[in-house]
Each structure stands twice: as C-alpha cells, then as structure tokens.
C-alpha cells in the first residue's frame, strides 16, 4: 500500500500551526512542520505584499524540503492607518516583542480615533508550492473593529483587540473551533482545500506508476 504524502505547513508560529492542524484535517496528506522536518532556515520576508511573502516562503521551503508546502502570510489591516500594519504585522512594534507589546503599540497609534473609524480586517494569503516549482495562492478576510483595550485568552497575535460585531466578542474570546469557522485563515483554507485535494490525487497516481 502506498504511504500518504506529506504536506509541510511552513510556520514556526504555534498559533497558526494549531489552527491548521484542524483546518486541514481530512485531506489526503500527513501534515508535518518545519520543526518536524528539522528545518531551521529562516526565509526572509522581503516582499511588499502578503501574497509575495507567502509565495516566497512556500517556494523556498518546498525546495528545501522536497515536499508540497503550504505557507501563509497574514496580518491586520487598519483603515485609520491606511491598511497598516498589513504585511508588517509581526514586526510592527519591532523585532522580538511580545503580542502584548504589539497590541499596546497599535492601540497607542489609534489613541483618540473614535469607534466608528476603527474598522479593520484580518487577511490571510496562503501559498501552496510544489518542489517542482508550481505555486498557487488563495486568500480570506475577516472584518471587525479594533477595540479600545484587550480581552480574552484564546488565539494569538492581535486577537484580544479584534472585536467581531456580529458575535459581540473579541476573536480571543472564541474557542479554536469557533475561530476556525469564521477567521481569515479558515476562509483561505477553505479555498486551499480543492487545490490540495488535486495535488493529493496526483501524488497517489504518481505512486502507482
Ligand atoms: P507572519 O508570520 O508574517 O504571517 O505574521 C503574522 C502576524 O500577523 C502575526 O505575528 C500576528 O501578529 C498577526 N496575525 C496573523 N494572523 C493572526 C490571527 O489569526 N490573529 C491575530 N493576529 C494574527
């Protein structure tokens, strides 16, 4: 019997990895991670958009690992800041800062901005690359409002300050299952599923030759 092909989820962010473990369940792949493949190389994100960064990461890690690879670049776009921090979300308050410091930095930037002008969205761009150099992307967004303070223990990153009007809750107040029903990452992963199904089929076919 042929073994299930591996899919490398190329992230060191434990929050993302937890979400993908459930978002990608049921696909014809065994999921693996950079840590699982003992890959320690850091791919620099030099693109000016999330799409460029996601493609850069997925293609580089697919070449390094020889595996079909999924990478995501994601972040928060705040209307009152002309879409910032966007692709700079992780580094917005500097390198090696905590999620709390990142949130405090953003809240300080929005000091005095009224509720009705605090619209924002999380965006996630997924790139799926093969070691042969094929790459496809898909994306998802989740609309909300940057709250005035932080609340909730779930999720990661900016989740405690992201208010979801339809649920009257912060993203960080949702369980993993609830976040995975509505998030930007969940919406992008939903679109990634058929691409991965097809790649899984092709792998299975190749193994029969
Ligand atoms: P990346 O590793 O360059 O994609 O960085 C993404 C950064 O955006 C993370 O470090 C978080 O600060 C933020 N981010 C991305 N997705 C989420 C999310 O689902 N919730 C909260 N913050 C997120």
């Amino acid at each position: 019997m042929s073994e299930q092909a591996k899919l490398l989820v190329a992230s060191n962010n434990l929050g993302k990895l937890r979400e993908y473990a459930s978002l990608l369940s049921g696909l014809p792949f065994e999921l693996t991670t950079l840590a699982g493949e003992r890959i320690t190389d850091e791919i620099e994100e030099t693109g000016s958009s999330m799409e460029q960064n996601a493609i850069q990461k997925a293609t580089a890690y697919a070449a390094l690992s020889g595996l079909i690879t999924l990478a995501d670049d994601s972040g928060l776009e705040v209307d009152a800041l002309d879409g910032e921090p966007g692709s700079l979300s992780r580094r917005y308050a500097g390198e090696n800062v905590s999620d709390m410091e990142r949130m405090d930095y953003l809240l300080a930037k929005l000091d005095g901005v009224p509720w009705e002008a605090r619209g924002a969205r999380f965006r996630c761009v997924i790139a799926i690359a093969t070691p042969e150099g094929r790459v496809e992307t898909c994306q998802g967004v989740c609309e909300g409002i940057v709250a005035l303070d932080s609340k909730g223990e779930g999720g990661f990153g900016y989740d405690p300050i992201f208010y979801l009007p339809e649920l009257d809750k912060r993203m960080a107040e949702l369980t993993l299952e609830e976040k995975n029903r509505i998030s930007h990452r969940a919406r992008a992963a939903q679109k990634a599923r058929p691409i991965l199904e097809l790649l899984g089929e092709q792998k299975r076919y190749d193994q029969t030759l």
Side-chain angles (χ1 to χ4, degrees), residues 90-141:
R90 187 165 50 84
R91 290 157 284 164
Y92 198 43
E95 293 290 343
N96 302 320
V97 300
S98 66
D99 280 344
M100 189 56 82
E101 287 167 317
R102 267 190 275 270
M103 287 189 284
D104 284 345
Y105 182 79
L106 182 63
L107 289 178
K109 283 238 167 198
L110 292 177
D111 193 26
V113 176
W115 188 252
E116 58 279 9
R118 298 174 77 96
R121 72 206 51 75
F122 277 126
R123 184 182 301 279
C124 171
V125 179
I126 287 178
I128 298 162
T130 68
E132 296 78 33
R134 276 173 58 192
V135 60
E136 293 201 54
T137 62
C138 41
Q139 57 175 295
V141 294

Side-chain angles (χ1 to χ4, degrees), residues 78-209:
V78 181
D79 294 338
L81 299 173
D82 293 325
E84 279 193 4
S87 62
L88 298 175
S89 291
R90 187 165 50 84
R91 290 157 284 164
Y92 198 43
E95 293 290 343
N96 302 320
V97 300
S98 66
D99 280 344
M100 189 56 82
E101 287 167 317
R102 267 190 275 270
M103 287 189 284
D104 284 345
Y105 182 79
L106 182 63
L107 289 178
K109 283 238 167 198
L110 292 177
D111 193 26
V113 176
W115 188 252
E116 58 279 9
R118 298 174 77 96
R121 72 206 51 75
F122 277 126
R123 184 182 301 279
C124 171
V125 179
I126 287 178
I128 298 162
T130 68
E132 296 78 33
R134 276 173 58 192
V135 60
E136 293 201 54
T137 62
C138 41
Q139 57 175 295
V141 294
C142 178
E143 299 282 342
I145 292 167
V146 180
L148 300 169
D149 55 12
S150 69
K151 193 174 169 192
E153 305 294 326
F156 67 95
Y158 297 93
D159 282 347
I161 58 171
F162 193 76
Y163 175 73
L164 297 152
E166 315 88 78
L167 301 177
D168 188 23
K169 278 185 179 168
R170 308 296 175 86
M171 192 73 106
E173 293 181 281
L174 305 184
T175 63
L176 179 75
E177 292 71 31
E178 288 170 332
K179 181 174 175 186
N180 275 352
R181 276 200 285 275
I182 57 119
S183 79
H184 48 311
R185 189 162 294 105
R187 288 176 178 150
Q190 198 59 33
K191 295 179 191 163
R193 273 187 167 268
I195 300 170
L196 291 167
E197 297 269 9
L198 205 63
L199 286 171
E201 279 297 315
Q202 280 166 3
K203 269 268 169 204
R204 266 206 299 270
Y205 176 74
D206 291 347
Q207 283 170 346
T208 63
L209 295 180

Side-chain angles (χ1 to χ4, degrees), residues 21-38:
S22 139
L23 290 171
L24 301 174
S25 67
L27 285 164
F29 286 100
E30 178 196 334
L31 300 187
T32 185
T33 60
L34 293 172
E37 296 303 312
R38 296 193 160 66

